[in-house]
Amino acid sequence: MVSEETTRTTTPPTEQQPPAAAAAPREAGAHREPRTAATRAWATRLVVVGIVLSALNLRPAITSLGALLEEVRDGLGMSGSVAGLLTSVPPLCFAVFGVMAPRLARRFGPAAVVCAGMAAIAAGLVIRPYAGNTVAFLAASALALMGIAVSNVLMPVIVKRWFPDRVGSMTGLYSMALALGTSTAAAVTVPMTDALGGWKPGLAVWALLAAVAVLPWLPLLRDRDRDRDRGAAPAVRPGASQEPGQVAHDTSREESVRATAAQEEQAPALRITRSRTAWALAVFFGLQATAAYITMGWMAQIFRDAGVAAGTAGLLLAVTMVMGVPLAFVIPRLATRLPHQGPIVLALGVCGLAGYAGLYLAPAGGAWAWAVLLGISNCAFPLALTMVGMRARTGPGVAQLSAFAQSTGYLISIPGPLLVGVLYQSSGGWGLPIALMTALMIPQMLVGWVAGRNRTVEEEAAR
């Protein structure tokens, strides 16, 4: 009798199943939920490790070459103009291959594309020093830079996708790791070259770091449905703990997120070129990249020509790069707390102008001070990445804006390092190249102010 009452009480009249059968799905769900939460936490930790290791590999291919540019020129018989072309290859590859990143991410998932990018970096860095001639050296460099290019574009997308409530802090972590890899390569490449017995193994050794960066992305390849660039950020950060009373609520939120993702996937692409903010951010990105690649490619040579020893010149370049380690974590967090990022743009620009003035007036006498000032100025890069995440509301918007700003920006930056090499070769000194760098800083500050306004590309494109 009690059993019948219990059955009538717990089972709705419309259901024709026994109580045990009705309870089975709930029990299965109860057992499945902890495993799901644990899987998400595990996957989130892998994403963090993957972001950090990938970021460490996004600049050593460039700064290690900058530290050994004179040795590479002598070994391959390059002129100053050809060396200037070599320093222009990174932004060219970033512009050409970066455009492909969103489409590849939609087809294969961002994790798969970044994983392949790390593998390409490792392969290119192994092949490059032993290529045998300038053309093959450039081709192997392009392979490594292709991997860097797609990873450059997709890092803001992955941050927005997995950490929508922590864009500033995760962009800061990524930028800090990027600066650490940049500065470490600049600092230790010359000593490693001496220890390994030549510039070829000194360049090739950085392939090991790229090979390690492949590993954390491999387990994530199985979870393509979650990691594919659907466009909508999760309502709850993956891996976040859930209270027992929130399971049903969070399930409905996840269903809502999936519905939103499906709608955004079917939505037409933004007409990004209608957005003034997108253009301002692209030009800002291009000018800061011009300054950064001139610095990475030529600053050590400026100091060496001023009488500074090769090892010390490498350390000065490392100081410039290492300034980005703490500041790359602080600046994005500060930027996300401000309605307008223009004041940060101006402060960084003033440091750059002071550093260029020092390089012109007393390159050897105040070398350490100029290295610090230019290092602060180069932190416009993490600021630009942060603004990419802030100037779009949705995942697809971030992907489009990131690809547009970085590809257009890197196209803008291509002539800068090449022109510096030509001016240096023709004038026989650094006066004209430094004047060019100084002149480019003014428009960088102006367009950065425009890009820092509290706007979104979706709003402007809709108009």
Side-chain angles (χ1 to χ4, degrees):
M1 192 71 177
V2 173
S3 176
E4 292 175 358
E5 291 175 357
T6 304
T7 303
R8 285 195 299 269
T9 302
T10 57
T11 305
T14 56
E15 294 181 359
Q16 302 297 325
Q17 60 182 358
R26 290 195 297 270
E27 292 177 0
H31 288 293
R32 191 183 301 115
E33 187 64 35
R35 288 199 298 269
T36 301
T39 301
R40 288 176 183 166
W42 175 78
T44 302
R45 294 188 188 100
L46 273 181
V47 171
V48 173
V49 173
I51 288 173
V52 171
L53 286 177
S54 299
L56 287 172
N57 282 279
L58 295 183
R59 293 299 179 269
I62 303 167
T63 51
S64 61
L65 178 60
L68 296 175
L69 186 58
E70 186 171 316
E71 287 76 7
V72 173
R73 286 175 58 189
D74 293 340
L76 297 177
M78 292 183 186
S79 66
S81 298
V82 174
L85 175 63
L86 184 61
T87 58
S88 294
V89 168
L92 174 62
C93 291
F94 294 167
V96 171
F97 297 118
V99 176
M100 303 162 49
R103 182 175 299 177
L104 292 172
R106 283 194 296 271
R107 181 169 182 179
F108 301 106
V113 178
V114 173
C115 182
M118 294 299 111
I121 294 171
L125 293 184
V126 166
I127 297 170
R128 180 171 71 171
Y130 303 101
N133 57 66
T134 300
V135 174
F137 188 93
L138 289 171
S141 297
L143 176 61
L145 293 167
M146 177 179 65
I148 297 173
V150 295
S151 302
N152 272 338
V153 172
L154 292 181
M155 281 297 159
V157 178
I158 290 175
V159 167
K160 186 81 168 183
R161 174 69 180 85
W162 284 84
F163 307 96
D165 55 338
R166 298 166 58 190
V167 171
S169 59
M170 289 305 300
T171 301
L173 178 65
Y174 151 62
S175 302
M176 185 170 64
L178 190 150
L180 181 62
T182 305
S183 58
T184 301
V188 307
T189 295
V190 172
M192 279 200 308
T193 297
D194 295 338
L196 295 173
W199 63 268
K200 293 183 178 181
L203 289 180
V205 72
W206 294 104
L208 296 175
L209 183 61
V212 172
V214 172
L215 302 179
W217 299 108
L218 293 176
L220 296 169
L221 301 183
R222 296 190 302 242
D223 196 14
R224 286 182 55 188
D225 287 338
R226 177 163 184 76
D227 190 49
R228 188 179 293 132
D229 185 20
R230 294 291 188 184
V236 180
R237 180 174 58 87
S241 60
Q242 294 179 320
E243 297 294 332
Q246 294 179 336
V247 172
H249 176 63
D250 290 342
T251 300
S252 65
R253 292 175 70 187
E254 290 182 0
E255 291 174 354
S256 175
V257 167
R258 285 194 291 270
T260 303
Q263 293 174 359
E264 290 185 344
E265 190 176 53
Q266 297 171 0
L270 289 172
R271 295 182 178 179
I272 199 79
T273 55
R274 291 186 173 184
S275 170
R276 292 180 61 189
T277 297
W279 279 108
L281 190 53
V283 176
F284 175 70
F285 201 99
L287 292 175
Q288 67 81 28
T290 300
Y293 287 110
I294 290 173
T295 299
M296 286 187 282
W298 290 107
M299 197 180 82
Q301 191 66 47
I302 293 174
F303 287 127
R304 290 177 73 167
D305 287 351
V308 178
T312 304
L315 286 176
L316 287 166
L317 179 59
V319 167
T320 299
M321 301 299 114
V322 83
M323 291 303 300
V325 176
L327 291 178
F329 191 71
V330 172
I331 288 176
R333 293 171 66 90
L334 176 61
T336 56
R337 287 167 169 79
L338 295 176
H340 195 309
Q341 290 74 47
I344 305 177
V345 171
L346 296 183
L348 298 178
V350 169
C351 290
L353 292 175
Y356 293 142
L359 282 181
Y360 180 78
L361 296 173
W368 296 99
W370 318 142
V372 168
L373 287 170
L374 292 175
I376 296 172
S377 178
N378 281 349
C379 287
F381 175 71
L383 177 61
L385 289 179
T386 306
M387 289 196 288
V388 166
M390 296 176 68
R391 297 287 90 88
R393 287 197 306 262
T394 65
V398 172
Q400 274 192 265
L401 180 58
S402 180
F404 176 76
Q406 294 200 43
S407 297
T408 305
Y410 284 127
L411 279 175
I412 292 171
S413 71
I414 290 170
L418 177 60
L419 187 55
V420 166
V422 172
L423 291 175
Y424 172 59
Q425 183 84 11
S426 60
S427 67
W430 288 106
L432 288 178
I434 292 173
L436 172 66
M437 291 182 264
T438 304
L440 292 176
M441 185 59 67
I442 305 301
Q444 177 180 323
M445 295 164 70
L446 294 176
V447 294
W449 181 272
V450 175
R453 298 176 304 166
N454 190 13
R455 305 281 193 277
T456 63
V457 293
E458 288 90 349
E459 295 172 353
E460 294 183 341
R463 294 173 192 161

